[in-house]
Amino acid sequence: MNIIFMGTPEFAVPSLRALLEEGYRVIAVVTQPDRPKGRKRVLTPTPVKVEAEKHGIPVLQPEKLRQAESVEVLRGLKPDLIVTAAYGQILPKSVLELPEHGCINIHASLLPKYRGGAPIHHAIIRGEQVTGVTIMYMAEGLDTGDMISKVEVTIEDTDTTGSMFDKLSIAGAELLKRTLPDLLAGRLQAVPQNEAEAVYSPNIRREDEIIDWSRSAADIFNQVRGLHPFPGAYTLWNGDVMKVWACANPVSKESGDSPASRKEVHLQGASAAPGTVVNSGEQGIEVKTGNGTIWLTHIQPAGKKAMDAAQFLRGVKIPAGTVLG
């Protein structure tokens, strides 16, 4: 059984390890080309490449997989199965048809919900309480192939996209271990997706990052944790970008929304426009939204490092009445 593994970020690494731990023969890894990173623009290999090289697995990094020469290289390897996980390029039909056992993908959502490039971000931003991983046959459409197996994973109120990446990458690797023996033995029946239930999750755009204070406190809470740790939500303060890395849960008892503060908010913030600071201090910065208020607890003003909002306020005043955004 010759397997080619295709993946790029940390999310894919546990699945590659799972194949190796289970004794499958991974004859090659395909990943995105090295890219410059950081202020010094150092050429950096992908996490999957680093892991593959630890095990002495040949690595291929085509800029465009669909180019004829790339397809011919894969054809020459005679794969029996291709396993992909967050590879970052759509596989052309010429590649999908190569392996006898097909091409399967480990997708970080419960398909057909959240097809596309940012399923974890969008699941949190939309306030989902459950997401998961689906293993599916790849098709020419975007995440449209027949589903083979699924596992559900709970999204806690304390979860961010970063923590869910970790949880789902492990869940995906474990699901791959359980699925492959039955799949290769022909004991699994793939199920078509219900197109009527399909939801798309496109890559995050710059305009998705700005906080719209007219939305509810719950929506903003979900947006901030859905964009943490990358790319981050932001607002404007004194005309400069101020990243908002964390907010207190507006419905939690630990949110800082004590009876005393609620009274103060009611008096000061009832008529304030969304985006208006109504309180600030050791609990952070409390801002009026379209429905309720929310405490900003971790921020990053322009030109500074990310820090606790209370710590920032010990040196800088953001008085009530200040308007953000």
Side-chain angles (χ1 to χ4, degrees):
M1 173 64 64
N2 289 334
I3 296 178
I4 292 177
F5 184 82
M6 298 184 179
T8 296
E10 287 287 350
F11 175 84
V13 172
S15 292
L16 174 57
R17 288 180 185 150
L19 290 174
L20 299 173
E21 289 168 3
E22 295 299 299
Y24 292 104
R25 185 165 182 259
V26 180
I27 58 172
V29 159
V30 182
T31 189
Q32 293 289 329
D34 297 357
R35 306 290 189 199
K37 284 191 174 180
R39 291 184 178 179
K40 295 184 179 179
R41 310 298 291 164
V42 177
L43 204 58
T44 304
T46 71
V48 165
K49 179 181 179 180
V50 172
E51 186 68 20
E53 289 182 337
K54 286 181 186 175
H55 298 277
I57 303 171
V59 176
L60 307 173
Q61 296 179 279
E63 192 70 46
K64 293 183 179 178
L65 188 65
R66 61 178 56 253
Q67 289 181 335
E69 53 267 37
S70 300
V71 177
E72 286 310 305
V73 170
L74 297 179
R75 191 189 310 280
L77 293 173
K78 299 179 179 179
D80 298 303
L81 175 72
I82 292 178
V83 178
T84 73
Y87 169 50
Q89 293 189 39
I90 295 176
L91 274 58
K93 185 179 179 182
S94 54
V95 172
L96 295 176
E97 293 176 343
L98 284 179
E100 175 188 352
H101 291 279
C103 301
I104 63 172
N105 181 42
I106 304 161
H107 187 75
S109 83
L110 297 174
L111 293 172
K113 295 185 75 173
Y114 301 112
R115 295 172 174 174
I120 303 175
H121 291 84
H122 285 281
I124 296 176
I125 289 170
R126 297 189 191 188
E128 298 281 5
Q129 295 182 321
V130 176
T131 184
V133 176
T134 304
I135 293 181
M136 52 176 284
Y137 281 115
M138 300 188 74
E140 288 188 81
L142 181 61
D143 299 326
T144 58
D146 291 352
M147 302 177 294
I148 302 166
S149 59
K150 287 184 180 183
V151 62
E152 292 187 351
V153 178
T154 300
I155 302 175
E156 307 288 351
D157 287 346
T158 52
D159 276 319
T160 65
T161 286
S163 67
M164 289 306 299
F165 258 86
D166 295 340
K167 291 181 180 181
L168 293 171
S169 66
I170 299 300
E174 293 300 319
L175 183 63
L176 182 64
K177 284 183 183 180
R178 297 193 298 272
T179 300
L180 270 186
D182 288 337
L183 177 71
L184 298 176
R187 295 191 291 266
L188 293 179
Q189 180 67 47
V191 178
Q193 297 185 38
N194 184 343
E195 292 297 320
E197 297 177 354
V199 175
Y200 285 89
S201 56
N203 291 330
I204 299 296
R205 306 160 301 174
R206 182 63 173 167
E207 54 265 39
D208 297 324
E209 300 168 26
I210 191 162
I211 296 172
D212 177 356
W213 295 107
S214 69
R215 302 189 69 186
S216 71
D219 285 346
I220 292 169
F221 174 70
N222 290 333
Q223 179 190 12
V224 168
R225 65 196 185 102
L227 296 178
H228 184 281
F230 56 91
Y234 73 93
T235 187
L236 297 177
W237 174 54
N238 288 339
D240 292 324
V241 168
M242 183 169 76
K243 289 274 190 179
V244 179
W245 290 114
C247 299
N249 187 343
V251 298
S252 168
K253 291 180 180 178
E254 287 77 34
S255 69
D257 191 12
S258 64
S261 66
R262 278 201 295 271
K263 182 179 179 181
E264 188 171 357
V265 169
H266 178 73
L267 294 174
Q268 295 183 350
S271 60
T276 302
V277 174
V278 296
N279 206 348
S280 61
E282 286 303 307
Q283 294 170 329
I285 303 165
E286 187 175 21
V287 185
K288 180 78 183 306
T289 74
N291 183 4
T293 64
I294 192 165
W295 288 90
L296 316 186
T297 59
H298 208 70
I299 61 174
Q300 184 176 8
K304 297 184 180 295
K305 295 181 179 178
M307 66 184 80
D308 185 278
Q311 176 188 354
F312 176 70
L313 291 169
R314 292 184 193 118
V316 178
K317 300 297 182 187
I318 302 184
T322 301
V323 178
L324 305 178

